[in-house]
């Protein structure tokens, strides 16, 4: 990703891409949700893994 995630810009862009109208009263909530999702994605993507690591076919605690 180039620079910090801009949730407001992402929501505005995707609104046009998928031809979806977000009502003004819902926009802050949608943007906050996207910001939280972006933070979670950054946390996951920043976790170091070796190239040889493979996903487990079944999770066993």
């Amino acid at each position: 990703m180039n620079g910090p995630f801009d949730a407001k810009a992402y929501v505005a862009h995707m609104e046009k891409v998928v031809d979806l109208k977000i009502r003004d009263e819902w926009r802050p909530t949608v943007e906050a949700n996207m910001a939280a999702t972006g933070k979670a994605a950054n946390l996951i993507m920043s976790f170091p893994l070796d190239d040889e690591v493979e996903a487990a076919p079944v999770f066993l605690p």
Side-chain angles (χ1 to χ4, degrees):
M1 184 163 43
N2 300 333
F5 177 65
D6 186 347
K8 288 184 179 187
Y10 181 79
V11 169
H13 174 72
M14 291 309 295
E15 186 177 18
K16 293 174 186 170
V17 168
V18 299
D19 193 27
L20 176 69
K21 177 61 181 147
I22 300 171
R23 295 191 318 195
D24 290 338
E25 62 267 22
W26 283 100
R27 185 169 301 279
T29 303
V30 173
E31 291 169 351
N33 186 285
M34 277 289 112
T37 301
K39 287 180 182 178
N42 281 335
L43 180 63
I44 291 167
M45 295 304 292
S46 68
F47 189 81
L49 289 175
D50 292 330
D51 290 337
E52 296 81 30
V53 174
E54 295 185 23
V58 176
F59 174 75
L60 299 173

